[in-house]
Amino acid sequence: MNVLLMAYGTPYTPEEIEPYYTDIRRGRRPSEELVRELEERYHAIGKSPLNEITLVQAIRLQALLNLEAPAYPKRLLGPFGPRIPQGPARVYVGTKHWHPSIGEAIAAMHEDGVRRAVAIVAAPHYSLRSVAEYQEKVEAALKSLPEPIEMVWVESYEAHPSLIAAYARRLEEAIWRLREPRKAAYVFTAHSIPLSAVERGDPYPRQVERTAELIAKRLALPRFSVAYQSAGRTPEPWLGPDINEHLKSLREEGFEEVVVQAVGFPADHLEVYYDLDLEAQATAQEVGLRLIRARSLNADLDYIQVLKELVEAAWLR
């Protein structure tokens, strides 16, 4: 069994911020002002652990897949024998905007003789601006190979029972810290996308709302809402409500405590540490709102179990 595990990627050093930002902008070099702003954000959080978390996710997923080999049904028996992976499961890491890149990962897979693999992004919701762009990069890399690799995709898993349980477990931990849980507000966040994508039928907002609904139902929350964060620096309108504006509205409605859970981001990174822990927290303090953020899934074993279940199910298609 072979797996291509993908994540956004992040620069390792301050010197890498500008080329990283250029890659995000599809080769268009950002202005000095934009680069300086991003450098300041990274400096404010200290360091983004996203690359390290992704690597640990891959290591643990590979270990779990090799620890428990799945049963293969007879329907996989074809004219050339059963489609059973030869040797241990192997997980490759490819990032969307830095190194190891998706192209570098697929090149390594080809060198190792991989001819079939499961492709999965460490993000539960499909969007034209997220998973679809990963798919474009994978397809571009595959076209450069002398022999094909069959990719079986896990495109989304917003309602996977084990994922909902993992998120609910962390939200429950945050609830224990509330003074009055029944009077608190509960907000689920995800990365904003341009409204133009939503108008083209992007399922992303519906999937985010579905994740929020299932977590809220599991914990019998008295109320909940969805807000978006980390909108791009472009003139076009982005999906809202913005988390900071939403926090102000909650205070105006009389709420004194709020729990925020970033369901669109399994791993801690810049947009969790800066946009929520610094920026949103500052907004909350400014308006007199006590904000508690539920911890992220990161590379915890319950999230690795989610990935394992998804990968195994996809491999058997």
Side-chain angles (χ1 to χ4, degrees):
M1 181 186 298
N2 306 292
V3 180
L4 174 58
L5 176 66
M6 292 169 284
Y8 200 81
T10 192
Y12 290 95
T13 66
E15 293 73 26
E16 295 174 343
I17 290 176
E18 183 177 329
Y20 167 76
Y21 205 171
T22 300
D23 191 80
I24 291 174
R25 292 167 54 88
R26 297 178 179 265
R28 293 179 291 110
R29 189 173 180 271
S31 66
E32 291 185 7
E33 180 184 357
L34 288 175
V35 172
R36 186 164 55 252
E37 180 182 325
L38 189 58
E39 289 174 343
E40 290 171 355
R41 287 178 174 234
Y42 274 103
H43 180 74
I45 69 167
K47 181 181 182 295
S48 169
L50 180 59
N51 291 333
E52 290 79 2
I53 290 171
T54 305
L55 178 59
V56 175
Q57 288 174 341
I59 291 170
R60 289 183 170 178
L61 176 58
Q62 181 168 294
L64 206 56
L65 288 168
N66 285 317
L67 181 65
E68 302 177 28
Y72 292 89
K74 292 182 179 180
R75 67 179 178 81
L76 285 179
L77 293 173
F80 303 103
R83 184 182 287 160
I84 296 178
Q86 301 299 312
R90 186 160 185 182
V91 179
Y92 297 80
V93 172
T95 67
K96 186 180 179 185
H97 291 300
W98 205 233
H99 302 287
S101 68
I102 290 171
E104 290 166 343
I106 289 178
M109 295 170 77
H110 181 265
E111 290 175 6
D112 291 345
V114 172
R115 294 298 175 264
R116 186 173 190 265
V118 175
I120 185 169
V121 180
H125 309 104
Y126 177 90
S127 172
L128 298 173
R129 295 299 297 267
S130 62
V131 175
E133 292 182 353
Y134 284 90
Q135 291 175 320
E136 290 175 8
K137 286 182 176 285
V138 168
E139 289 303 314
L142 291 175
K143 288 179 181 178
S144 67
L145 301 178
E147 294 89 20
I149 297 177
E150 178 191 355
M151 287 290 178
V152 183
W153 278 89
V154 177
E155 290 192 338
S156 66
Y157 46 101
E158 73 282 357
H160 192 285
S162 298
L163 177 75
I164 300 305
Y167 273 136
R169 193 172 299 118
R170 286 153 183 77
L171 183 55
E172 189 172 36
E173 292 174 1
I175 291 173
W176 294 341
R177 297 173 57 195
L178 291 171
R179 298 186 183 102
E180 296 185 88
R182 301 305 297 179
K183 295 182 179 180
Y186 299 89
V187 182
F188 300 97
T189 71
H191 200 297
S192 183
I193 60 172
L195 278 178
S196 59
V198 180
E199 291 166 355
R200 297 201 307 272
D202 197 317
Y204 180 74
R206 295 193 301 275
Q207 291 188 0
V208 172
E209 289 163 8
R210 179 64 173 154
T211 301
E213 290 168 358
L214 290 172
I215 298 169
K217 181 178 179 181
R218 186 180 181 95
L219 294 179
L221 297 182
R223 66 194 62 83
F224 74 93
S225 55
V226 173
Y228 293 90
Q229 59 174 94
S230 316
R233 296 290 299 275
T234 64
E236 63 183 318
W238 286 64
L239 181 63
D242 171 75
I243 178 61
N244 292 286
E245 296 304 315
H246 190 53
L247 291 174
K248 295 175 184 177
S249 297
L250 290 174
R251 187 67 186 100
E252 290 173 358
E253 292 173 23
F255 290 101
E256 297 180 357
E257 293 183 302
V258 59
V259 177
V260 173
Q261 183 168 47
V263 294
F265 305 104
D268 287 328
H269 64 300
L270 178 68
E271 290 167 337
V272 172
Y273 285 168
Y274 188 90
D275 294 0
L276 293 182
D277 290 352
L278 294 182
E279 196 170 60
Q281 186 65 258
T283 298
Q285 291 177 6
E286 178 185 334
V287 299
L289 192 61
R290 181 171 180 247
L291 186 155
I292 298 171
R293 178 177 67 83
R295 65 185 179 90
S296 302
L297 302 177
N298 290 323
D300 292 356
L301 288 179
D302 54 355
Y303 180 53
I304 305 305
Q305 179 65 30
V306 172
L307 297 176
K308 172 181 178 289
E309 292 171 3
L310 291 163
V311 164
E312 289 181 344
W315 184 260
L316 297 178
R317 289 180 196 162

